[in-house]
Amino acid sequence: MLAFLIQRVLQAIFVMFVVALISFSLFHYVGDPVMNMLGQEATEADRAALRAQLGLDQPVVVQFWHFIVNAAQFEFGISYRSARPVTDLILERLPATLELAIVSAIFAVVMGIGLGIYTALRRRSWLANFIMTASLIGVSLPTFLIGVLLIYIFAVELGVLPAFGRGETVRIGNWWSTGLLTASGLRSLILPAITLGLFQLTLIMRLVRAEMLEVLSTDYIKFARARGLSKRVVNLRHALKNTMIPVITIIGLQLGTIIAFAIITETVFQWPGVGALFITAVRFVDVPVMAAYLMMIALVFVVINLVVDLLYYAVDPRLRAQGGGK
Amino acid sequence: MLPKKTLLATAVIGAMLATAAHAETLRWTRSADGLTLDPHSQNEGPTHALNHQIFDTLLYQDMDVEYQPGLATEWYVSEDDPTVWVFELREGVTFHEGQAFTAEDVVFSINRARHEDSDMRGLLTSIAEVRAVDEFTVEIVTHEPNPLLPNNLTNLFIMSHEWAAEHGVEDPQNFTAGEETYAVRNANGTGPFRVVSREPDVRTVMERNDDYWGIDHYPMEISRLIYTPIESASTRVAALLSGEVDLLQETPVQDIERLASAEGLKNEQGAENRSIFLGMRLAGDLVQADLDDNPFADVRVREAMNLAIDATTIQQAVMRGNSEPAGMIAPPFVNGYSEALDEVLPADLDRAQALMEEAGYGDGFRVTLNCPNDRYVNDEQICQAVVSMLARIGITVDLVAQTRSVFFAELPRDEYDFFLLGWGVPTMDSEYVFNYLYHTKEGDLGTWNFTGYSNERVDELTVAMASEVDIDARNEMISEAWQIVHDDIVYIPIHNQMLTWSMRDDIEFQVQSENTPHFKYLRFNN
């Protein structure tokens, strides 16, 4: 078990290192931060001085080494754009992104499983067909378009929900600000959560439906029916339980995607999370913020995968036998 | 005499009416937030626009971009010495936190802005010394006589020396220090609004400064000013349409008509201080094209291009009418503007083709046009129009449109043969244009001249106009220089941008050409 764990952790560190290397080499193609940081009256000498001050004149390898050493200590320097420590900026904005991601994940899971079961059990009804067709729209429309459409319908035309922002927030402790405790905060959450969760919803729904259909045709379900068990027990206890294993795996993996894909939703709704922070940073070539964000997202994926791996290890006896045999 | 009760009631009602008329919140949005509240650390439009609500400058440009007294009541060149500017300061002004404003704060602020970590110092290089003569008089000594010094001070915000010392922010932000200074999110100015709370990139709340020195001089009708930047253009417009904001700066061109027809909203438009033009490498070999010689070096080719590019069509088709076609790189309110030189020639393809043949390029040539795609209004679409217009005289243009941060990194490295650029004139004087765009690129001059253009007479005039104090002689120099660069066709001007601000229709507020609103002027009609 320990050997397996160490192996996985070493792999995770290697992945983080590769992500750092790739993102760092990308930064040389996104432009020159110094041109953004100094006004048009600055002279060439001013620009050279700032470049030297920021260490941008050093060889890439040296810059990368400094970056890795600092990143290992969670030290990402100061934002070129807002002159504030990057760690502060990210911590300040992380609650907004996490709340949005969690609410939209819950929305996607609850609606996805519910609709999946319904469309599997009533697969010939017109409503199920309608849901299946509508879900194609959810899969094929880009997120920003869904966001803009929702804003147009619910904010501009109907005027019932806010078009942007997070509403009023309440501070819990030193770092966490929540929008879940105020009416305007909850109202502000609805449209972005739907926008962000719609794709996952359709994915989960289609997965649940396919798994359900497969399970419903197996022998033990037929046997359960033959035993005279009620429809409810057969469908929800026997069938649904057995469809859940792949669904849970997918949900776990998709959570990382939701956090990472929040970039687009946050930009459309001016949601003050880390995704919007990243987009602004890209526009300004705010390298410290970009680097820290990419490392954070990589870390989220690595940790989720690590947990999934460990769960498999716990669940699958074959993996254990292999590890123990050596 | 009225009974006491009635008198009291009248007073109460009167007071209520007075507060009702003046307790107005304005929710303001634009695409980007100010970067910092530290007024000397960044020389950037949205940052200045925000700081103008909180701080004062010695003088400023009002909504008509006219120079108006701010913390200085009078300024003039000293009679004894042409290198000394005298500023007489306003008395009885206090900062938001109560400190009294004196000459010492002005000396401190200007020196802080000249510090090597300040991005404002590029505007102040002519200054040799700043000194307080008495409590309310400041003298600024320049290396050479500088007739334009006051024009360079319109974004030079005055901080309290005492406050800066108390919070350890006597120097502007240094990026290697790696920490946030107190001045990034806290401000203590003398301006019309004081900061109540600030969450960068999310929301800044300001309230009226009831002790403002100009409280009786300006409308000052806004009691609470809430600034929420919204990056996405469609969301910004939706926020105005749904009534979540009251005033939108920088309305996207495609939404102007829609907002004009929306109920309860209106647009205000005006000329922006920004000219859009094409530049090309005039000297040396082209680096992005495989040609034996440089066609741009021939003035006949440049004239042919100028004749082939139809600015009027660009105005109608690309800008939907929201631009002013131009013949020179200076909007009409800039000193040195000439109606004759600004004349836009109608497109003349026959003449253009003849010039190309005369120059030996009858069969055309192939070049690359570099263009930003998120810096100016419809920048990429303008370039696309230019590509098809130049194709009509045989010039094949490959368009490379990129994001601003890449474009403005490559442009100064001299990697472009042919590019689209925009230029504003913050000093409102032609010298600024010649200094940066036309002077030979050497040392601190011609820093934005990526054409390789070098004309001895223009260089001479540029340097001379910077220190000439005789207004008539100076204006003559300016018009001579404009004539030379016009005849040489150094750049191909396209148009001046227009600005559109959209707002609730009960708001009375006009567009300011520098895109810097002064909310102390805003009125409500209700």
Side-chain angles (χ1 to χ4, degrees):
Chain A
M1 171 77 191
L2 193 67
F4 177 85
L5 190 68
I6 290 172
Q7 188 197 351
R8 278 289 185 266
V9 169
L10 284 179
Q11 271 178 8
I13 290 174
F14 177 72
V15 168
M16 293 296 292
F17 183 79
V18 170
V19 169
L21 186 66
I22 293 174
S23 49
F24 204 80
S25 40
L26 277 179
F27 296 152
H28 288 267
Y29 298 98
V30 292
D32 183 359
V34 170
M35 289 305 289
N36 286 324
M37 291 168 76
L38 296 180
Q40 63 183 17
E41 285 92 0
T43 62
E44 207 35 63
D46 295 339
R47 297 201 184 105
L50 182 61
R51 229 169 250 130
Q53 204 189 81
L54 298 173
L56 294 172
D57 55 344
Q58 290 168 342
V60 178
V61 185
V62 177
Q63 289 186 45
F64 183 62
W65 173 247
H66 284 307
F67 172 72
I68 286 291
V69 169
N70 289 331
Q73 308 163 43
F74 291 98
E75 180 56 65
F76 290 96
I78 181 163
S79 157
Y80 293 167
R81 182 173 172 272
S82 59
R84 304 185 53 212
V86 175
T87 325
D88 285 7
L89 284 176
I90 289 193
L91 286 178
E92 215 170 84
R93 282 164 162 258
L94 204 53
T97 296
L98 289 179
E99 281 185 2
L100 175 62
I102 289 165
V103 169
S104 67
I106 292 171
F107 162 74
V109 168
V110 172
M111 295 291 287
I113 292 178
L115 291 176
I117 294 170
Y118 180 81
T119 50
L121 297 180
R122 298 273 157 80
R123 67 178 187 280
R124 284 196 187 82
S125 77
W126 68 269
L127 186 60
N129 282 323
F130 173 77
I131 292 170
M132 287 305 289
T133 314
S135 77
L136 277 178
I137 300 173
V139 176
S140 50
L141 276 189
T143 312
F144 75 90
L145 199 61
I146 294 174
V148 171
L149 274 174
L150 289 178
I151 291 176
Y152 184 78
I153 296 169
F154 291 99
V156 177
E157 288 301 313
L158 301 176
V160 287
L161 291 170
F164 75 100
R166 210 183 160 202
E168 262 179 81
T169 55
V170 179
R171 206 158 260 286
I172 303 173
N174 271 340
W175 283 112
W176 199 272
S177 71
T178 180
L180 299 176
L181 298 177
T182 63
S184 73
L186 288 173
R187 273 158 41 86
S188 302
L189 193 56
I190 297 173
L191 293 184
I194 292 175
T195 307
L196 183 57
L198 206 58
F199 180 81
Q200 321 295 335
L201 184 157
T202 49
L203 188 76
I204 292 170
M205 180 187 111
R206 288 176 161 260
L207 189 72
V208 169
R209 179 176 179 272
E211 289 289 330
M212 274 292 270
L213 287 178
E214 202 179 310
V215 171
L216 284 177
S217 63
T218 54
D219 288 343
Y220 73 88
I221 296 293
K222 285 180 193 152
F223 182 66
R225 288 213 183 106
R227 273 169 67 200
L229 294 177
S230 77
K231 247 187 181 170
R232 202 185 140 83
V233 172
V234 174
N235 289 337
L236 294 186
R237 188 185 295 167
H238 294 261
L240 183 64
K241 251 191 185 169
N242 283 296
T243 64
M244 279 291 94
I245 295 157
V247 173
I248 287 171
T249 315
I250 289 292
I251 290 171
L253 290 175
Q254 288 292 324
L255 191 66
T257 319
I258 287 188
I259 295 175
F261 280 0
I263 291 181
I264 298 163
T265 309
E266 288 183 5
T267 310
V268 171
F269 288 95
Q270 192 66 27
W271 189 263
V274 285
L277 180 73
F278 176 69
I279 287 293
T280 318
V282 170
R283 296 232 169 99
F284 196 85
V285 200
D286 193 346
V287 173
V289 173
M290 284 154 71
Y293 176 81
L294 290 175
M295 295 304 287
M296 186 195 82
I297 292 297
L299 187 68
V300 168
F301 274 93
V302 162
V303 167
I304 288 177
N305 275 296
L306 191 65
V307 170
V308 168
D309 276 354
L310 293 176
L311 282 179
Y312 281 164
Y313 186 86
V315 168
D316 193 335
R318 283 169 300 183
L319 281 171
R320 255 176 295 175
Q322 230 174 34
K326 275 179 192 167
Chain B
M1 200 179 121
L2 285 164
K4 225 177 181 180
K5 242 184 184 169
T6 325
L7 201 67
L8 191 70
T10 320
V12 168
I13 291 167
M16 276 168 66
L17 282 176
T19 39
H22 294 286
E24 283 272 12
T25 298
L26 185 93
R27 294 160 302 170
W28 160 39
T29 188
R30 69 186 295 182
S31 59
D33 199 3
L35 300 176
T36 169
L37 292 183
D38 186 331
H40 306 134
S41 113
Q42 296 279 355
N43 184 10
E44 197 243 10
T47 309
H48 288 330
L50 174 61
N51 281 331
H52 266 293
Q53 318 310 326
I54 305 159
F55 292 93
D56 278 314
T57 49
L58 291 177
L59 65 155
Y60 69 99
Q61 289 174 283
D62 67 8
M63 300 305 283
D64 294 313
V65 291
E66 305 277 349
Y67 292 98
Q68 298 293 347
L71 287 177
T73 49
E74 261 183 278
W75 51 95
Y76 45 85
V77 177
S78 162
E79 276 171 27
D80 318 324
D81 185 349
T83 64
V84 173
W85 272 93
V86 183
F87 289 84
E88 286 179 16
L89 305 181
R90 198 174 292 279
E91 297 183 24
V93 176
T94 53
F95 287 92
H96 295 161
E97 292 179 16
Q99 299 89 341
F101 161 74
T102 67
E104 200 220 349
D105 298 311
V106 176
V107 175
F108 164 74
S109 297
I110 296 177
N111 284 331
R112 188 175 189 271
R114 290 169 66 207
H115 187 274
E116 62 171 23
D117 287 330
S118 164
D119 193 21
M120 298 303 292
R121 77 181 188 285
L123 290 164
L124 307 173
T125 46
S126 66
I127 297 178
E129 192 201 344
V130 188
R131 56 188 180 220
V133 178
D134 57 48
E135 214 183 341
F136 294 105
T137 312
V138 168
E139 286 184 356
I140 301 179
V141 187
T142 52
H143 298 292
E144 310 257 327
N146 181 2
L148 292 178
L149 180 74
N151 302 30
N152 282 320
L153 299 177
T154 52
N155 288 319
L156 202 284
F157 299 99
I158 304 301
M159 285 172 91
S160 158
H161 187 190
E162 193 186 322
W163 182 85
E166 190 184 322
H167 296 286
V169 289
E170 284 154 301
D171 294 339
Q173 178 77 39
N174 174 315
F175 279 85
T176 44
E179 50 188 56
E180 177 181 351
T181 67
Y182 187 76
V184 172
R185 273 189 293 169
N186 297 279
N188 176 33
T190 57
F193 297 91
R194 61 177 96 221
V195 181
V196 178
S197 69
R198 171 158 169 86
E199 287 173 76
D201 292 327
V202 180
R203 185 187 351 232
T204 303
V205 180
M206 290 160 273
E207 64 177 17
R208 181 172 50 210
N209 172 12
D210 286 319
D211 301 322
Y212 189 51
W213 55 264
I215 192 101
D216 300 322
H217 186 65
Y218 303 105
M220 298 281 291
E221 291 190 6
I222 301 169
S223 57
R224 205 172 175 80
L225 180 60
I226 302 175
Y227 176 37
T228 47
I230 303 177
E231 206 164 319
S232 153
S234 54
T235 312
R236 206 153 64 231
V237 172
L240 181 68
L241 284 168
S242 64
E244 290 167 76
V245 296
D246 306 311
L247 186 139
L248 161 64
Q249 215 179 323
E250 299 156 349
T251 307
V253 171
Q254 65 270 20
D255 293 307
I256 291 175
E257 268 177 51
R258 164 122 196 261
L259 289 170
S261 59
E263 203 182 320
L265 299 177
K266 65 171 179 180
N267 293 322
E268 289 285 340
Q269 286 193 308
E272 183 177 5
N273 188 354
R274 180 164 286 136
S275 309
I276 305 296
F277 54 91
L278 297 166
M280 52 240 121
R281 193 187 297 277
L282 309 182
D285 291 331
L286 299 187
V287 297
Q288 290 177 295
D290 190 21
L291 296 170
D292 294 334
D293 50 1
N294 179 353
F296 295 140
D298 193 321
V299 73
R300 287 169 298 189
V301 172
R302 305 201 294 269
E303 193 183 344
M305 290 165 71
N306 200 11
L307 288 168
I309 294 170
D310 183 355
T312 316
T313 302
I314 292 179
Q315 179 205 24
Q316 287 158 2
V318 179
M319 307 300 288
R320 304 189 197 192
N322 298 296
S323 69
E324 288 290 339
M328 68 189 292
I329 304 176
F333 37 77
V334 167
N335 180 37
Y337 171 83
S338 145
E339 222 164 88
L341 296 183
D342 197 33
E343 195 198 344
V344 180
L345 299 174
D348 184 345
L349 290 181
D350 295 337
R351 172 100 187 100
Q353 192 60 51
L355 281 163
M356 288 288 282
E357 263 154 44
E358 216 177 285
Y361 292 100
D363 298 332
F365 53 85
R366 188 185 188 109
V367 286
T368 303
L369 171 62
N370 297 88
C371 190
N373 62 12
D374 52 5
R375 176 64 186 90
Y376 310 112
V377 179
N378 290 351
D379 36 15
E380 187 176 354
Q381 290 91 321
I382 296 170
C383 288
Q384 283 164 350
V386 166
V387 169
S388 55
M389 286 169 177
L390 289 179
R392 299 185 300 186
I393 56 165
I395 303 176
T396 310
V397 181
D398 301 311
L399 175 62
V400 180
Q402 298 182 89
T403 179
R404 60 203 289 178
S405 42
V406 175
F407 179 88
F408 286 104
E410 291 178 348
L411 178 67
R413 290 203 295 257
D414 229 7
E415 291 179 15
Y416 296 160
D417 293 333
F418 187 24
F419 53 87
L420 177 112
L421 189 63
W423 197 252
V425 191
T427 60
M428 299 287 155
D429 186 274
S430 297
E431 186 268 342
Y432 190 88
V433 187
F434 288 103
N435 185 335
Y436 291 96
L437 293 180
Y438 287 111
H439 191 283
T440 307
K441 193 169 194 289
E442 56 183 16
D444 290 351
L445 292 164
T447 45
W448 284 79
N449 177 2
F450 304 114
T451 63
Y453 180 72
S454 175
N455 181 311
E456 235 174 89
R457 182 65 186 148
V458 172
D459 289 0
E460 228 175 84
L461 289 165
T462 305
V463 172
M465 69 178 80
S467 57
E468 179 58 63
V469 277
D470 179 338
I471 292 175
D472 291 335
R474 189 168 180 281
N475 284 342
E476 217 144 284
M477 292 173 180
I478 293 175
S479 77
E480 188 191 338
W482 273 119
Q483 192 61 52
I484 297 172
V485 298
H486 189 263
D487 294 343
D488 284 348
I489 316 183
V490 184
Y491 297 98
I492 299 177
I494 296 177
H495 57 232
N496 294 322
Q497 284 188 176
M498 299 242 292
L499 265 177
T500 309
W501 296 354
S502 304
M503 58 199 85
R504 252 167 44 199
D505 62 6
D506 62 333
I507 292 173
E508 205 178 298
F509 202 43
Q510 72 180 83
V511 166
Q512 204 246 25
S513 298
E514 286 285 294
N515 208 3
T516 302
H518 292 282
F519 286 106
K520 59 185 177 187
Y521 286 101
L522 186 141
R523 286 179 193 275
F524 293 98
N525 282 328
N526 52 5

